[in-house]
Amino acid sequence: MEQRVDPSPTLQDVAKEAGVSVATASRVLNGSSRTVGKDNVERVLRAAGKLGYAPNLSAQATARGSTKTVALVVSDIADPYFSTLAAGVLEGAEAAGLIVTMAVADRSAERECRIVATLRGYRPHVIIVAGSRLDGPRDALVEELRAYVAAGGRAAVISQPGLPFPTVAIDNAGAAKDLALALADEGYRRFAVIRGPAGLHTSRDRCDGFLAGLRQAGIEVCRVLDTEFTEDGGYAAASRLIAAGLDDVELLFAVTDAMAIGAMRAVRDAGLVPGHDIAVAGFDDIGPATDVSPALTTVRVPLHEMGKRAMDLALSGADPAEVQWMPTQPVLRTSTPTSTPDSVS
Amino acid sequence: MEQRVDPSPTLQDVAKEAGVSVATASRVLNGSSRTVGKDNVERVLRAAGKLGYAPNLSAQATARGSTKTVALVVSDIADPYFSTLAAGVLEGAEAAGLIVTMAVADRSAERECRIVATLRGYRPHVIIVAGSRLDGPRDALVEELRAYVAAGGRAAVISQPGLPFPTVAIDNAGAAKDLALALADEGYRRFAVIRGPAGLHTSRDRCDGFLAGLRQAGIEVCRVLDTEFTEDGGYAAASRLIAAGLDDVELLFAVTDAMAIGAMRAVRDAGLVPGHDIAVAGFDDIGPATDVSPALTTVRVPLHEMGKRAMDLALSGADPAEVQWMPTQPVLRTSTPTSTPDSVS
DNA sequence: GACGTGTTGGAATGCGTTTTCCCCACGCAT
DNA sequence: ATGCGTGGGGAAAACGCATTCCAACACGTC
């Protein structure tokens, strides 16, 4: 059984079928400024329908010199943090009639840079990079992006203020500080924080901000645990903490919801009850944060909104130095009950 | 301050800079079958580096008549089910040197079809549609996809056996039956199931399979609740059930982890303890299933693997009728404790 | 009926690549 | 010398489309 492949119909095919020139066919099929005769419109449309014509977007792109795509690079699409961001970007793109091509950098700065270089080959309308969770120098990335905008592209980044491109970000330190104050206000006094590698801005800012908040509340001592920036990292750190005895800690703050959820698992696995024997708080308010029980106290970050905003920012040709700060807000849930939990003796 | 845009350097620029023809430049810059003189290679490479040349992939695509992209359409990228699938596809694409462009259909069959039509314009190397959670007739989609493969494209679908394209799927009914049997084996006798709209194959198959399993275990009666195919749907249905009194149910099976998690929330909000007052089970084993507490009993579906496999399947030019059945497996966790939970009186 | 004025169709040109096709020079055997 | 294969180079024709430029034509006005 032969598999016959007759290539996609081209504009020429449509034109011939309709008995008009390619020029007119092109004009009706993509709403040029020129007007076309009523009956010709009709005929072209019918021909296109009959042939199942779909314009070759690549050819269109080379002819026009511009595309209708946005390139999005994220660290890990399976992470709710990034998938929510991505959903926002997709929504914004949809609204603007753009389609998005996306690649994952797998939390490697080097891969991220290579990806941007590749994506740049598509001459996308805009490039958005959401890679706050990467480590290492961003010089290569900046250079790549700079070349892109020098050639007329629009770029935007998410969560990495300091880069010379329009940015949407949150005040990690401030938000963490607010959370600390809110928690202190609830009566908590003895804290431990779980954070990621020192090289990570996000982690550092949140940890520092939290500690600053505690200091402002008159709390000076606080245990700080270093670990991986993942759920398993949170599990490991919490396990360590528990093994060392947590007589002197009432509340465990992890710089990330994922880590906090890992920590909660460790607490449970140790036979303790999170929210009862020890309070837990996270940061990001990803979807699962409200599903775990006790529901996780955290700081709400408008992830979806941020993705959309990044699109708008890039599209609007914002000033490279513009940083759009998004509002955050501590949300206290049952993982940090109002009455100070009984310490386990 | 003028924003000077000098467009990206073209192959011509590189050729001129190197003092050779575009033909040779093209040959060295993308490894054609032709061989090029040693020194010319050197010069072209240096020129390209100096100019920061990045080939215009669109132009390349029109010239070659083929692209190196795969188009992926999912229902909702923020849903862990789909984002895990997407991660698998991305991994497979990466391995094949392809980049993926992706769009979300927002759980609308009509949008899904339109999206495929648009994506087709990019003449992608392969199209993968993962839309198991859609309702309604797929004829338009099938037609669109058929036109695509007729023109030489490779298509694959995930989780919708019956469509005339290579498919990776799981045996929903069988898996649900296995789960039912395993649960009956644990001693459970009184069940209720929460399912989605009747038009959804996935929902129907899982519910029917579960009931079949129960029957096989000698259990005939079972309450069935209809609701939305979402977490909130699960919440609503469970609330209804609880309001009606759940003296006669020990275990609540929701056809989806998301729905099950919603149900657990409802249980807790009613002042009961899931896993203690009533057992809960789901289906899919999405990430959050292991994070909630009690950890959710469910059937493990190799989502990530399925995404990757779909790529391979499409790439291998599989027979349109080929359905790759992926293994599933009930995983019993603490939301269905081994000792039958005490019924609440 | 000559002359703008507007509208519409088509031919031609260009976009950045790839890919034929042709040519040249060189080395080797006859 | 002549013939011939071969490795390497360039000119130019696609690729599928957008767009600019021109010609043709219709209409209305003086």
Side-chain angles (χ1 to χ4, degrees), chain B residues 208-219:
Chain B
D208 292 353
F210 194 81
L211 295 179
L214 293 188
R215 250 191 319 275
Q216 181 169 326
I219 301 166

Side-chain angles (χ1 to χ4, degrees), chain A:
Chain A
M1 176 144 155
E2 266 304 292
Q3 194 68 16
R4 189 90 193 85
V5 303
D6 28 24
S8 302
T10 75
L11 194 55
Q12 296 220 41
D13 300 332
V14 175
K16 197 183 318 170
E17 172 80 21
V20 302
S21 76
V22 281
T24 34
S26 168
R27 291 198 260 257
V28 10
L29 255 22
N30 62 33
S32 109
S33 56
R34 289 277 305 263
T35 77
V36 178
K38 205 77 181 297
D39 49 345
N40 270 347
V41 168
E42 165 77 10
R43 293 164 68 180
V44 169
L45 250 27
R46 194 161 39 215
K50 175 178 171 194
L51 266 44
Y53 171 74
N56 183 324
L57 266 28
S58 293
Q60 215 163 272
T62 71
R64 283 210 176 107
S66 75
T67 58
K68 287 204 142 318
T69 89
V70 8
L72 170 64
V73 13
V74 299
S75 291
D76 173 8
I77 189 57
D79 183 332
Y81 176 89
F82 288 109
S83 64
T84 309
L85 234 33
V89 171
L90 281 159
E91 185 180 319
E94 160 77 9
L98 270 26
I99 78 134
V100 359
T101 103
M102 150 168 144
V104 330
D106 231 4
R107 302 178 191 281
S108 144
E110 189 263 334
R111 263 183 61 67
E112 183 180 63
C113 185
R114 259 204 349 259
I115 284 174
V116 171
T118 301
L119 257 27
R120 201 148 75 78
Y122 283 94
R123 307 284 186 272
H125 198 61
V126 357
I127 294 183
I128 295 181
V129 4
S132 69
R133 294 183 169 185
L134 290 171
D135 201 353
R138 320 307 303 272
D139 302 1
L141 175 67
V142 168
E143 211 36 62
E144 203 67 50
L145 246 28
R146 204 197 294 279
Y148 169 68
V149 327
R154 303 147 189 67
V157 305
I158 297 179
S159 273
Q160 9 199 6
L163 261 38
F165 306 100
T167 298
V168 7
I170 57 166
D171 176 11
N172 280 303
K177 182 171 163 186
D178 289 347
L179 179 64
L181 289 173
L183 257 14
D185 210 47
E186 293 284 298
Y188 289 97
R189 282 295 170 272
R190 294 172 300 173
F191 296 83
V193 2
I194 298 182
R195 71 174 174 197
L200 268 175
H201 272 263
T202 308
S203 169
R204 182 143 36 85
D205 291 349
R206 290 178 182 181
C207 178
D208 291 353
F210 194 81
L211 295 180
L214 293 187
R215 250 193 317 277
Q216 182 170 324
I219 300 166
E220 292 292 344
V221 326
C222 176
R223 200 119 113 227
V224 175
L225 306 181
D226 287 300
T227 185
E228 294 295 302
F229 205 58
T230 63
E231 182 171 331
D232 287 343
Y235 185 95
S239 298
R240 257 167 26 211
L241 182 69
I242 293 168
L246 33 63
D247 307 330
D248 58 340
V249 6
E250 298 164 341
L251 189 149
L252 190 48
F253 167 64
V255 294
T256 270
D257 279 355
M259 295 169 80
I261 288 173
M264 278 179 55
R265 223 179 47 219
V267 169
R268 255 182 309 219
D269 283 359
L272 305 177
V273 178
H276 177 71
D277 298 317
I278 183 169
V280 179
F283 198 120
D284 280 338
D285 198 20
I286 59 178
T290 76
D291 290 327
V292 296
S293 82
L296 188 62
T297 286
T298 185
V299 2
R300 176 171 148 60
V301 178
L303 262 8
H304 188 102
E305 186 62 36
M306 285 170 76
K308 214 160 100 191
R309 194 61 66 89
M311 271 282 351
D312 297 346
L313 209 54
L315 250 26
S316 73
D319 188 278
E322 174 157 2
V323 178
Q324 190 120 132
W325 296 101
M326 303 291 286
T328 58
Q329 165 185 7
V331 1
L332 267 28
R333 294 201 265 248
T334 47
S335 72
T336 56
T338 295
S339 52
T340 303
D342 318 333
S343 277
V344 111
S345 72

Side-chain angles (χ1 to χ4, degrees), chain B residues 220-244:
Chain B
E220 292 293 345
V221 327
C222 176
R223 199 119 113 229
V224 175
L225 307 182
D226 287 300
T227 185
E228 294 296 300
F229 205 58
T230 63
E231 182 171 331
D232 287 343
Y235 185 94
S239 299
R240 256 166 28 211
L241 182 68
I242 294 167

Side-chain angles (χ1 to χ4, degrees), chain B residues 328-343:
Chain B
T328 58
Q329 166 185 8
V331 1
L332 268 28
R333 293 200 265 248
T334 47
S335 72
T336 57
T338 294
S339 52
T340 303
D342 318 333
S343 277

Side-chain angles (χ1 to χ4, degrees), chain B residues 21 24 27 34-37 40 62-63:
Chain B
S21 75
T24 32
R27 291 198 260 256
R34 289 275 306 260
T35 74
V36 180
N40 270 347
T62 72

Side-chain angles (χ1 to χ4, degrees), chain B residues 82-313:
Chain B
F82 288 108
S83 64
T84 309
L85 235 32
V89 171
L90 281 158
E91 187 180 319
E94 161 76 9
L98 271 25
I99 79 137
V100 0
T101 103
M102 151 169 146
V104 331
D106 232 4
R107 303 177 191 281
S108 145
E110 189 264 335
R111 262 181 63 65
E112 185 180 63
C113 185
R114 259 202 351 257
I115 284 173
V116 171
T118 302
L119 256 25
R120 201 149 75 77
Y122 283 95
R123 306 286 185 272
H125 199 61
V126 356
I127 294 184
I128 295 181
V129 3
S132 69
R133 295 184 169 184
L134 289 172
D135 201 353
R138 320 308 300 277
D139 301 2
L141 175 67
V142 169
E143 212 35 62
E144 204 66 50
L145 246 27
R146 204 198 294 278
Y148 170 67
V149 328
R154 303 146 190 67
V157 305
I158 297 181
S159 274
Q160 8 199 7
L163 262 39
F165 306 100
T167 298
V168 7
I170 58 167
D171 175 12
N172 279 304
K177 182 171 165 187
D178 289 347
L179 178 64
L181 289 172
L183 257 15
D185 210 48
E186 292 284 301
Y188 288 98
R189 284 294 171 270
R190 295 173 299 174
F191 296 83
V193 2
I194 299 182
R195 70 174 173 197
L200 269 175
H201 271 263
T202 308
S203 169
R204 182 143 35 86
D205 292 348
R206 290 178 182 181
C207 178
D208 292 353
F210 194 81
L211 295 179
L214 293 188
R215 250 191 319 275
Q216 181 169 326
I219 301 166
E220 292 293 345
V221 327
C222 176
R223 199 119 113 229
V224 175
L225 307 182
D226 287 300
T227 185
E228 294 296 300
F229 205 58
T230 63
E231 182 171 331
D232 287 343
Y235 185 94
S239 299
R240 256 166 28 211
L241 182 68
I242 294 167
L246 33 62
D247 306 332
D248 58 340
V249 7
E250 297 164 342
L251 190 150
L252 191 49
F253 167 63
V255 294
T256 270
D257 279 355
M259 294 168 82
I261 289 174
M264 278 180 55
R265 222 178 48 217
V267 169
R268 256 184 318 247
D269 283 359
L272 305 178
V273 179
H276 177 72
D277 298 316
I278 183 169
V280 179
F283 197 120
D284 280 339
D285 199 19
I286 59 177
T290 75
D291 290 328
V292 297
S293 84
L296 188 63
T297 285
T298 186
V299 2
R300 178 172 146 62
V301 177
L303 262 8
H304 187 102
E305 186 62 36
M306 286 171 75
K308 214 160 101 190
R309 193 62 66 88
M311 271 281 351
D312 297 346
L313 209 54

